[in-house]
């Protein structure tokens, strides 16, 4: 795209919630006043030291932050190139990066006096994180989850129920994440008075993409400090997987203005980018459109009807992507790659055996590209990958794909 | 610029009655039957016709209209064919106002300018695009007004007095007051509050105010018709259509008549509203 390079990649969105062409507030009138209220509440919280102190306290004592930055020695040795670090966000309480965002939003909901929390979930990690925070603060929690995902992520469904949440299996559409989000929006439009919608990724109407990014940016901020301590300099590259893109934007955002840092996002290529409706790579195979409150790259047909997409990973199986990623791609600041189901499964196994870390299928996609990139790079190249979730939830699904173990 | 919508509401005001605004999904259950249904609506008493543009992800719609959209998409409906449906209807009816209702993405993907040209040529009078609030007026609302189409906005119980002026600024044709917070076809609202809500909106605009969401029976249509300039019925009509379908959601000999029969009842309700209220 013919846009000028801005002085900073970190100033978005603008007053209209836009990152260039992308983002915005494409919602029904019923929700518009709520979104404006939310924006106001978030702007106030953002400049309130007490809000940040509360989050910091929870990070230390509840989540277990900072998460370690771990040198993956055997992986590095095996690949024979770049020095590979994992940012261990899979060690967070609840097993993924999702809790970073949820705690921020739940504290905000409390400030706004909302007593009922709704959320959508794909792999179930965001649903579990939301159910966890709601349990901690005594809030009612309703989680919408596609019926297909309920089936393939059973352990997380059970966890949510244990935590006191109501899990609603969504039967409409393809019965996955996109449909769960539709249903959550329908709930919100119905229960406007008392309900806070805790969106799980850096997408949706403004201010969600910016707010979720801010809450997830703790990942990148910690990496900056940790890599300085470990290596005495910034990393040469960053790699993260992308569904909606919240773990990725959280890692990337603090580094966007460091031109020496190469940044790679990894989408889910499912059965392959050349397989019709067989992948979930919205940047590689989609075009700009409007869904779920924002303009972004979407998988759709020529009539603008949204396609279902496919990925082995329920967390990446979404036909859109956060609007800031859409913009960063068009600006050329971040390079977006993709990994197939098979590549992710191979990476999943390799990491388990070499490092004793069972990754979630989502970061296994990022790892697949680390495995591809690292051997082509010199040994003094420092690469940081976000290990954004643990694979406990995936072991049965993986076993099935591998034909039993 | 006067559209068919302006003319129709002006005429009904002289008759001292509310308009019956009927919604059907374009292409439901198949394209030829859908055209027959749209053609039957004015005769059955519909004053304004809303035609849904099917979309895979109708975030503000309840189960009935979601299912109608899927039936239409499965029958091969597209935005282009919805515009063709309007053009076909216009060959036999040049007076009944037609409003297209749906979501922005199919329009955006077709291209706003191309869509507006085609809509104008087909004989469309107004647009309701659920996911375009005033904050996004540059996208479609302003170009549509420039092209001579009405852009009809939804006002909701959450649209407070402070916000109402910005919602009304670029609205034309009529204001669609959504009588409840929720999706289409949800619970029956408290009708006693409708009159006050209509009065509140009328305090800010000279446009006619039509009320919808939750209107399912002739009785309800009569009650609302006494308090508002228009009564919008969608889900009840879509349900009547669905209940007439055969196996695999195929149209039967009864389908068009099932819709027409309900619209006749609703129309009788709307037409008796002011008389009942005056007695």
């Amino acid at each position: 795209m013919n846009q000028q390079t801005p002085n900073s990649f970190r100033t978005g969105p603008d007053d209209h919630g836009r990152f260039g062409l992308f983002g915005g507030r494409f919602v029904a009138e019923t929700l518009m006043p709520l979104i404006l209220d939310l924006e106001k509440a978030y702007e106030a919280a953002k400049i309130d030291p007490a809000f940040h102190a509360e989050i910091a306290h929870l990070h230390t004592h509840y989540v277990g932050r900072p998460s370690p930055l771990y040198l993956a020695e055997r992986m590095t040795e095996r690949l024979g190139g770049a020095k590979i670090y994992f940012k261990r966000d899979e060690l967070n309480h609840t097993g993924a990066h999702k809790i970073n965002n949820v705690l921020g939003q739940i504290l905000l909901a409390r400030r706004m006096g909302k007593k009922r929390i709704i959320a959508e979930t794909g792999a179930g990690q965001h649903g579990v994180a939301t159910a966890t925070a709601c349990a901690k603060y005594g809030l009612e929690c309703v989680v919408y989850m596609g019926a297909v995902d309920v089936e393939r992520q059973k352990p997380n469904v059970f966890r949510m129920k244990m935590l006191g949440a109501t899990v609603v299996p969504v039967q409409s559409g393809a019965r996955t994440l996109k449909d769960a989000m539709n249903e959550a929006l329908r709930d919100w439009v119905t229960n406007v008075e008392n309900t806070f919608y805790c969106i799980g990724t850096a997408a949706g109407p403004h201010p969600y993409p910016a707010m979720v990014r801010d809450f997830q940016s703790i990942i990148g901020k910690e990496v900056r400090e940790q890599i300085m301590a470990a290596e005495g300099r910034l990393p040469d590259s960053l790699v993260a997987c992308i569904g909606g893109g919240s773990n990725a934007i959280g890692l990337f955002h603090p580094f966007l203005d460091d031109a020496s840092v190469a940044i790679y996002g990894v989408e889910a290529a499912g059965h392959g980018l050349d397989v019709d409706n067989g992948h979930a790579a919205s940047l590689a195979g989609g075009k700009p459109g409007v869904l779920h409150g924002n303009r972004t790259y979407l998988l759709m047909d020529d009539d603008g009807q949204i396609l279902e997409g496919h990925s082995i990973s329920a967390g990446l199986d979404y036909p859109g992507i956060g609007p800031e990623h859409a913009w960063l791609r068009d600006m050329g600041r971040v390079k977006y790659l993709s990994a197939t189901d098979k590549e992710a499964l191979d990476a999943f196994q390799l990491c388990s055996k070499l490092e004793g870390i069972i990754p979630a299928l989502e970061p296994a996609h990022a790892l697949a590209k680390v495995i591809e990139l690292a051997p082509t790079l010199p040994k003094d190249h420092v690469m940081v990958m976000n290990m954004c979730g643990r694979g406990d939830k995936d072991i049965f699904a993986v076993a099935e794909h591998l034909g039993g173990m | 610029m006067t559209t068919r919508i302006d003319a129709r509401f002006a005429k009904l005001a002289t008759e001292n009655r509310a308009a019956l605004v009927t919604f059907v999904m374009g292409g439901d259950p198949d394209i030829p039957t859908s055209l027959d249904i749209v053609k039957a609506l004015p005769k059955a008493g519909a004053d304004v016709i809303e035609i849904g543009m099917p979309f895979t992800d109708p975030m503000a719609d309840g189960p009935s209209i979601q299912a109608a959209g899927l039936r239409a998409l499965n029958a091969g409906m597209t935005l282009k064919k919805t515009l063709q449906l309007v053009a076909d209807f216009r060959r036999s009816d040049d007076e009944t106002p037609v409003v297209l209702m749906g979501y922005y993405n199919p329009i955006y993907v077709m291209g706003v300018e191309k869509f507006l040209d085609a809509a104008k040529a087909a004989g469309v009078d107004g647009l309701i695009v659920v996911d375009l609030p005033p904050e996004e007026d540059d996208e479609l609302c302003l170009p549509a007004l420039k092209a001579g189409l009405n852009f009809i906005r939804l006002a909701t119980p959450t649209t407070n007095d402070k916000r109402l002026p910005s919602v009304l600024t670029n609205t034309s044709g009529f204001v669609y007051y959504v009588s409840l917070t929720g999706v289409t076809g949800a619970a029956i609202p408290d009708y006693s509050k409708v009159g006050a809500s209509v009065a509140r909106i009328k305090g800010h605009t000279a446009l006619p105010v039509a009320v919808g969401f939750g209107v399912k029976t002739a009785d309800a249509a009569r009650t609302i018709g006494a308090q508002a300039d228009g009564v919008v019925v969608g889900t009840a009509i879509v349900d009547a259509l669905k209940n007439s379908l055969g196996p695999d959601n195929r149209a039967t000999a009864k389908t068009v008549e099932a819709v027409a029969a309900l619209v006749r009842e609703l129309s009788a309700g709307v037409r008796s509203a002011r008389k009942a209220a005056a007695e």
Side-chain angles (χ1 to χ4, degrees), chain B residues 62-82:
Chain B
S64 292
I65 294 180
Q66 288 175 41
L70 285 181
R71 286 195 297 272
L73 290 173
N74 288 336
M77 202 52 166
T78 61
L79 183 52
K80 265 187 205 154
K81 290 176 186 171
T82 305

Side-chain angles (χ1 to χ4, degrees), chain B:
Chain B
M1 196 174 328
T2 306
T3 64
R4 291 185 191 88
I5 299 172
D6 302 327
R8 178 58 53 101
F9 275 99
K11 177 167 171 279
L12 296 183
T14 66
E15 294 173 18
N16 189 31
R17 73 169 177 90
L20 175 62
V21 182
T22 56
F23 172 92
V24 291
M25 182 62 74
D28 177 26
D30 60 71
I31 298 171
T33 307
S34 183
L35 179 60
D36 289 343
I37 290 171
V38 172
K39 281 181 175 170
L41 291 172
K43 267 172 256 162
D47 299 300
V48 177
I49 298 174
E50 282 180 16
I51 298 178
M53 301 175 277
F55 182 48
T56 39
D57 295 77
M59 291 160 299
D61 284 302
S64 292
I65 294 180
Q66 288 175 41
L70 285 181
R71 286 195 297 272
L73 290 173
N74 288 336
M77 202 52 166
T78 61
L79 183 52
K80 265 187 205 154
K81 290 176 186 171
T82 305
L83 292 165
Q84 186 58 46
L85 180 78
V86 178
D88 290 343
F89 169 73
R90 276 279 170 255
R91 285 201 201 119
S92 57
D93 186 326
D94 198 33
E95 283 184 13
T96 309
V98 172
V99 174
L100 291 184
M101 180 165 183
Y103 297 81
Y104 185 39
N105 196 52
I107 296 171
Y108 179 72
V109 169
M110 178 183 277
V112 164
E113 205 169 314
K114 193 174 158 200
F115 167 76
L116 290 174
D117 287 348
K120 194 74 190 154
V124 172
D125 303 291
L127 304 174
I128 301 176
V129 183
V130 179
D131 51 355
L132 285 178
E135 281 74 3
E136 304 291 353
D137 268 358
D138 291 344
E139 295 281 335
L140 179 66
C141 173
L142 297 179
L145 294 177
K146 215 172 135 198
L149 290 170
N150 287 138
F151 199 84
I152 295 141
R153 193 104 59 192
L154 277 61
T156 74
T158 60
T159 314
N160 59 27
D161 283 331
K162 202 175 137 221
R163 183 167 169 79
L164 204 44
S166 69
V167 169
L168 294 170
T169 299
N170 293 316
T171 300
S172 64
F174 62 94
V175 181
Y176 184 161
Y177 179 66
V178 176
S179 54
L180 51 83
T181 58
V183 293
T184 51
I188 307 279
D190 182 355
Y191 295 128
S192 64
K193 286 186 191 157
V194 168
S197 302
V198 171
R200 178 168 77 91
I201 295 167
K202 281 183 166 291
H204 293 269
T205 180
L207 289 170
V209 178
V211 175
F213 278 40
V215 184
K216 291 186 176 160
T217 62
D219 267 355
R222 181 180 300 120
T223 310
I224 303 279
Q227 306 173 67
D229 303 307
V231 181
V232 188
V233 186
T235 297
I237 295 174
V238 166
D239 284 343
L241 184 156
K242 181 185 182 294
N243 292 337
S244 76
L245 299 178
D248 302 331
N249 287 327
R250 282 180 204 281
T252 64
K254 292 179 289 185
T255 298
V256 176
E257 176 50 25
V259 171
L262 175 62
V263 172
R264 280 195 297 271
E265 273 178 48
L266 294 164
S267 171
V270 168
R271 280 161 203 263
S272 66
R274 305 269 166 92
K275 281 173 218 154
E279 275 163 17

Side-chain angles (χ1 to χ4, degrees), chain A residues 15-51:
Chain A
D15 291 344
H16 303 285
R18 296 289 180 92
F19 301 91
L21 175 68
F22 304 103
R25 286 178 286 215
F26 297 90
V27 297
E29 171 59 24
T30 311
L31 294 181
M32 203 56 226
L34 280 76
I35 283 168
L36 294 174
D37 279 353
L38 174 64
E39 187 182 351
K40 210 185 288 173
Y42 179 55
E43 289 303 321
K46 217 160 69 172
I47 53 168
D48 180 356
F51 183 71

Side-chain angles (χ1 to χ4, degrees), chain A residues 38-46 51 102-114 196 207 211 215:
Chain A
L38 174 64
E39 187 182 351
K40 210 185 288 173
Y42 179 55
E43 289 303 321
K46 217 160 69 172
F51 183 71
V102 164
L103 287 172
Q105 288 199 49
I106 296 300
L107 291 184
L108 195 58
R110 277 162 56 83
R111 285 169 75 103
M112 295 175 77
K114 304 285 185 181
F196 185 99
M211 181 170 73
F215 292 141

